[in-house]
């Protein structure tokens, strides 16, 4: 039984999402950027619900360690049904061939692929006047090409009823100083999601995006560790707190489930309302 922490300014609520979807056990998911942060949380959350996961990251060592740790934790959890297995794989999402290798790995390990989560992303800082060609290329390569190549690999192996979820951001619709490359890459992900939904709908594949606001991961640790920056950030969040990876997972779970079977081409904000401020 999960005890409920009260919500309050500055708090992060980590208690597990309780939603379960009975159709999920036996399904297979590929998740990129899963060595840490939200991707790791997605992997263990799905495996808890009986979904087998191929978890990919460019940081091979961290990915292997995370998968070992999560599988060990799943083995001692008392679950109603057996958990899924998390298999670590190395992937650089900027390389189309790496995505195809992920798909082949999932098919070899589990026989099929049902879900593909394009989660890997980078968050560089540079004022518009200073941004280098290399920085903009790297950002678009990981955040946009990474999603496109992932969707192409997914389209080649997902069965009708399959689903793709892309990680966009509240930054797709809000301007953040020093984040022009990141914001424009996430706006591209939101639009790409709509294009993919239109074209892959022919194959019975749904494509949606999640647009998180401030979520408590390594990506935002520099804000949580800096009191004035944190106060400024929380001022722009109607719920006055950062979200947790688990709270983003709750929306991912819904989008992958049959409860979302008529939802495609949509970006769901998980941002405590910050897109409105
Ligand atoms: N944390 C937030 O507040 C926030 C808000 C909005 C959107 N997002 C998006 O959510 C996603 C996950 O964010 P997070 O906070 O968990 O990030 P994170 O930095 O904690 O984890 C990102 C992971 O992606 C991996 N990665 C980076 N480049 C890669 C590549 N080329 N190939 C494969 N893996 C690569 C990293 O090694 C890392 O493990 C990202 O797309 C991010 O842009 C995060």
């Amino acid at each position: 039984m999960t005890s409920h922490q009260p919500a309050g300014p500055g708090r992060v609520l980590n208690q597990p999402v309780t939603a379960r979807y009975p159709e999920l056990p036996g399904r297979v998911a590929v998740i990129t950027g899963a060595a840490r942060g939200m991707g790791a949380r997605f992997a263990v959350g799905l495996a808890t619900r009986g979904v087998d996961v191929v978890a990919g990251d460019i940081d091979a060592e961290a990915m292997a360690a995370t998968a070992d740790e999560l599988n060990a934790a799943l083995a001692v959890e008392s679950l109603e049904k057996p958990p899924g297995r998390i298999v670590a794989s190395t992937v650089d999402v900027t390389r189309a061939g790496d995505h195809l290798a992920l798909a082949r790995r999932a098919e070899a390990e589990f026989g099929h692929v049902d879900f593909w989560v394009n989660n890997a992303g980078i968050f560089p800082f540079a004022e518009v006047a200073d941004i280098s060609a290399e920085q903009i290329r790297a950002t678009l390569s990981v955040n946009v090409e990474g999603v496109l190549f992932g969707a192409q690999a997914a389209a080649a192996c997902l069965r009708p009823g399959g689903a793709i979820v892309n990680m966009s951001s509240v930054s797709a619709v809000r301007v953040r100083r020093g984040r022009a490359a990141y914001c424009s890459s996430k706006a591209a992900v939101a639009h790409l999601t709509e294009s993919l939904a239109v074209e892959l709908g022919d194959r019975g594949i749904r494509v949606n995006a999640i647009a998180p606001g401030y979520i408590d991961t390594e990506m935002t640790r520099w804000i949580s560790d800096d009191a004035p920056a944190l106060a400024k950030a929380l001022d722009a969040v109607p719920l006055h707190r950062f979200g947790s990876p688990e709270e983003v997972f709750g929306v991912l779970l819904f989008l992958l489930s049959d409860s979302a079977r008529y939802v495609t081409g949509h970006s769901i904000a998980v941002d405590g309302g910050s897109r409105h401020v």
Side-chain angles (χ1 to χ4, degrees):
M1 193 70 175
T2 309
S3 65
H4 273 265
Q5 280 174 267
R11 299 200 68 159
V12 176
L13 303 188
N14 287 308
Q15 67 258 40
V17 160
T18 52
R20 301 225 156 230
Y21 295 94
E23 69 278 13
L24 291 184
R27 306 273 181 107
V28 177
V30 170
I31 306 173
T32 65
R36 55 180 66 77
M38 285 190 253
R41 194 59 228 159
F42 297 166
V44 73
L46 288 177
T48 303
R49 287 157 177 84
V51 176
D52 289 309
V53 176
V54 171
D57 204 285
I58 196 167
D59 186 343
E61 210 175 305
M63 187 65 259
T66 297
D68 286 349
E69 194 186 308
L70 297 179
N71 283 321
L74 286 164
V76 296
E77 239 187 278
S78 51
L79 299 166
E80 277 168 35
K81 298 210 166 128
R85 188 157 57 91
I86 300 171
V87 173
S89 198
T90 309
V91 61
D92 177 351
V93 296
T94 67
R95 298 158 68 104
D98 282 16
H99 291 273
L100 298 174
L102 265 190
R104 278 196 298 271
R105 181 83 194 272
E107 286 172 335
E109 293 278 349
F110 303 117
H112 59 273
V113 189
D114 301 287
F115 308 131
W116 196 289
V117 184
N118 286 309
N119 169 71
I122 56 171
F123 186 51
F125 180 92
E127 297 277 345
V128 171
D130 304 327
I131 194 160
S132 67
E134 199 176 304
Q135 270 172 321
I136 186 79
R137 273 190 215 118
T139 310
L140 296 177
S141 182
V142 177
N143 292 2
V144 184
E145 289 182 339
V147 169
L148 177 63
F149 295 153
Q152 288 175 327
C157 66
L158 291 188
R159 306 176 291 185
I164 299 172
V165 175
N166 302 325
M167 290 301 276
S168 178
S169 168
V170 66
S171 305
V173 293
R174 303 295 299 171
V175 171
R176 301 277 180 242
R177 256 197 120 79
R179 305 286 178 186
Y182 182 77
C183 293
S184 51
S185 74
K186 292 301 185 178
V189 170
H191 202 288
L192 186 54
T193 298
E194 295 171 12
S195 302
L196 289 166
V198 168
E199 295 191 19
L200 298 186
D202 299 347
R203 305 179 192 201
I205 297 170
R206 296 181 299 109
V207 189
N208 290 289
I210 298 177
Y214 295 110
I215 306 298
D216 185 38
T217 69
E218 276 180 34
M219 199 174 261
T220 52
R221 199 65 28 92
W222 65 277
I223 309 175
S224 350
D225 289 347
D226 175 346
L230 181 61
K232 190 171 166 219
L234 293 182
D235 208 34
V237 183
L239 291 182
H240 297 295
R241 62 181 182 83
F242 275 23
S244 64
E246 186 70 5
E247 289 170 323
V248 182
F249 172 67
V251 173
L252 174 76
L253 189 60
F254 163 70
L255 285 173
L256 297 182
S257 77
D258 287 355
S259 295
R261 66 188 171 216
Y262 202 53
V263 180
T264 195
H266 195 58
S267 285
I268 299 189
V270 188
D271 64 353
S274 60
R275 72 201 172 284
H276 299 303
V277 178

